[in-house]
Amino acid sequence: MKIVYQSKTGFTEKYAKMLGERLGITPIRLKDYRPATDDEIIFLSWVTANGIAKLSKVKGKCKIKCIGAVGLAVPSEENTNNLLNANKICDIPLFYLRGGVDFTKLKGLTKWLMKTIVKSDIKKNVIVGDSETILTKGISFVSEDNLDEITTFIRS
Ligand SMILES: Cc1cc2nc3c(=O)[nH]c(=O)nc-3n(C[C@H](O)[C@H](O)[C@H](O)COP(=O)(O)O)c2cc1C
């Protein structure tokens, strides 16, 4: 079993390393991985406009035991169902892991877009905390506990 991951600003990488520690597997960056049909992988990647980044690089090219999708949205059944539909996933278990936003690593239009979303989330109390710090640095929702469900599934 391999852990393969794609991360833009580091949250998915954190989860990949934490999961790797739990399972005793060294995670591999997607760019360092060449899919093989016999490989069984756990694929972790970040959510962008409801898409799971780079999923097409592994889907159908190796056995995917499960997917960990890392996004900023609050976890909910509706959110997970949206991800399943938007990414046309019907036969692979998907686990949503809440990541965060790191404004020190985003640039240009993407940074502006994420600031708009986060400002609105702060207004709606979906994101709580010191707004100035959040809008300058960002916020992380990464925690060990978030990995419990996917870990139990992999071990079962
Ligand atoms: C361009 C862009 C689009 C995003 N779209 C979504 C989205 O549709 N749903 C979501 O939950 N998070 C979305 N996010 C938030 C990221 O998924 C979140 O910041 C994630 O933790 C990034 O993981 P990474 O640090 O591994 O790259 C988006 C972020 C960016 C930059």
Side-chain angles (χ1 to χ4, degrees):
M1 180 93 68
K2 290 173 179 164
I3 297 174
V4 179
Y5 72 93
Q6 171 72 21
S7 183
K8 183 180 166 72
T9 62
F11 296 100
T12 310
E13 183 168 57
K14 260 189 200 150
Y15 275 124
K17 287 184 175 165
M18 280 156 64
L19 188 63
E21 284 268 320
R22 285 181 173 207
L23 302 172
I25 303 169
T26 306
I28 310 165
R29 282 195 182 91
L30 180 63
K31 68 174 177 60
D32 299 325
Y33 174 66
R34 216 173 282 164
T37 41
D38 286 345
D39 271 359
E40 190 173 35
I41 69 160
I42 299 157
F43 184 64
L44 301 185
S45 184
W46 62 287
V47 181
T48 170
N50 258 339
I52 297 168
K54 308 273 185 194
L55 177 58
S56 61
K57 298 274 178 200
V58 290
K59 205 176 171 193
K61 294 174 184 158
C62 57
K63 289 176 206 143
I64 305 176
K65 178 151 180 83
C66 60
I67 297 168
V70 180
L72 181 64
V74 177
S76 71
E77 208 179 313
E78 191 191 350
N79 185 52
T80 303
N81 287 337
N82 285 342
L83 290 173
L84 288 168
N85 289 334
N87 295 279
K88 298 186 173 66
I89 299 165
C90 43
D91 50 0
I92 308 167
L94 180 121
F95 297 87
Y96 178 76
L97 307 166
R98 200 173 188 201
V101 61
D102 186 342
F103 288 117
T104 68
K105 290 183 184 158
L106 294 173
K107 284 180 194 150
L109 191 65
T110 311
K111 187 172 182 172
W112 178 83
L113 181 79
M114 290 311 291
K115 278 216 174 167
T116 312
I117 293 169
V118 170
K119 269 183 200 162
S120 143
D121 280 353
I122 292 171
K123 249 190 186 166
K124 290 185 280 183
N125 272 327
V126 170
I127 292 177
V128 183
D130 177 56
S131 55
E132 208 178 298
T133 312
I134 295 169
L135 290 167
T136 317
K137 293 183 176 166
I139 190 162
S140 173
F141 298 99
V142 173
S143 87
E144 277 285 346
D145 291 354
N146 293 345
L147 283 169
D148 287 350
E149 214 185 324
I150 190 168
T151 310
T152 305
F153 169 78
I154 295 159
R155 284 184 175 146
S156 67

